Amino acid sequence: MRPKIYLFGDSITEMSFEDGGWGASLVNHFNRTVDVVLRGYSGYNTRWALKVIEKVFDEETAPLAVTVFFGANDACLPDRCSAFQHVPIDEYKLNLHSIVSFLKGRWPTTQIVLISPPPIDEPTRLLYPFIENKLGLPERTNEVAGNYAKASISVAAECGVLAVDLWTRMQQIPGWQTACLSDGLHLSKTGNEIVFEEVLEAFKKKGLSVETLPVDLPVINEIDPNDPLKSFEGI
């Protein structure tokens, strides 16, 4: 009965339904109007996303929107411990183009939001190695993450879709390294709140809000206490 919003991305999306997560906040926000569907895949980059995209999005009914949140893993450095996740920036841009093209081709009316990778706190990343870090160097840097963020925003403009520049937005917060991030990469409560607010703002630019969406069944204040079942006639 309800339309859908898909969240497609890596671990920052996969974790978004946790307590205080930006995906959970979207579920709560749209609780009587939209089903928010999680499609997050920890560790994935855009190259892997393209390999699975047809399996991820296999239904015919067009969702209202899809968020596409990749880049944090693509931006892993090619000479560091997470090199197997690295995707060169030129390929990253082409992959984002292909993801957007696939979604537009399948669902021409669906709104697409590209979310850039977040900033990176390099010293904290050393405390949370995913695999053995023999070099003792962070597997990501903030500068490189920024380059991939700019690439994401550029692709959004080229494709005519919505964009969230998370890399820039988070660094406007004093002490963003610990205020917005929990481990130098993944989001804190504040970081999740920022993503939630930025995604909502992007949706509103296209008229997608709880104020414009109908609820799927009668709400309690519409039900006549003297004749409750009347409200359900014709459903």
Side-chain angles (χ1 to χ4, degrees), residues 152-166:
S152 172
I153 302 307
S154 174
V155 170
E158 292 163 8
C159 295
V161 300
L162 298 161
V164 171
D165 185 355
L166 199 59

Side-chain angles (χ1 to χ4, degrees), residues 49-111:
L50 276 175
K51 289 291 185 181
V52 301
I53 194 167
E54 290 195 21
K55 188 175 184 66
V56 172
F57 300 112
D58 61 353
E59 66 174 79
E60 296 182 3
T61 303
L64 293 176
V66 179
T67 62
V68 178
F69 195 172
F70 290 100
N73 297 315
D74 301 69
C76 286
L77 301 179
D79 59 351
R80 304 282 174 90
C81 61
S82 290
F84 73 102
Q85 293 170 287
H86 170 74
V87 172
I89 196 164
D90 289 340
E91 182 189 343
Y92 171 68
K93 292 183 69 175
L94 289 173
N95 290 345
L96 284 181
H97 271 283
S98 296
I99 290 170
V100 172
S101 178
F102 173 88
L103 294 172
K104 282 188 170 184
R106 176 151 294 191
W107 301 310
T109 62
T110 297
Q111 299 299 331

Side-chain angles (χ1 to χ4, degrees), residues 203-217:
F203 287 164
K204 287 179 181 179
K205 290 178 181 178
K206 295 297 183 178
L208 201 166
S209 69
V210 291
E211 291 78 20
T212 61
L213 294 168
V215 294
D216 57 1
L217 291 171

Side-chain angles (χ1 to χ4, degrees), residues 140-181:
R140 297 167 172 85
T141 67
N142 194 38
E143 179 182 4
V144 171
N147 292 335
Y148 280 72
K150 291 174 185 175
S152 172
I153 302 307
S154 174
V155 170
E158 292 163 8
C159 295
V161 300
L162 298 161
V164 171
D165 185 355
L166 199 59
W167 188 83
T168 298
R169 176 69 183 87
M170 284 191 171
Q171 291 182 88
Q172 295 171 349
I173 305 298
W176 61 267
Q177 295 91 337
T178 54
C180 297
L181 305 174

Side-chain angles (χ1 to χ4, degrees), residues 101-129:
S101 178
F102 173 88
L103 294 172
K104 282 188 170 184
R106 176 151 294 191
W107 301 310
T109 62
T110 297
Q111 299 299 331
I112 301 167
V113 182
L114 295 188
I115 306 175
S116 85
I120 299 296
D121 178 33
E122 296 161 35
T124 305
R125 285 307 304 148
L126 290 173
L127 304 177
Y128 296 92

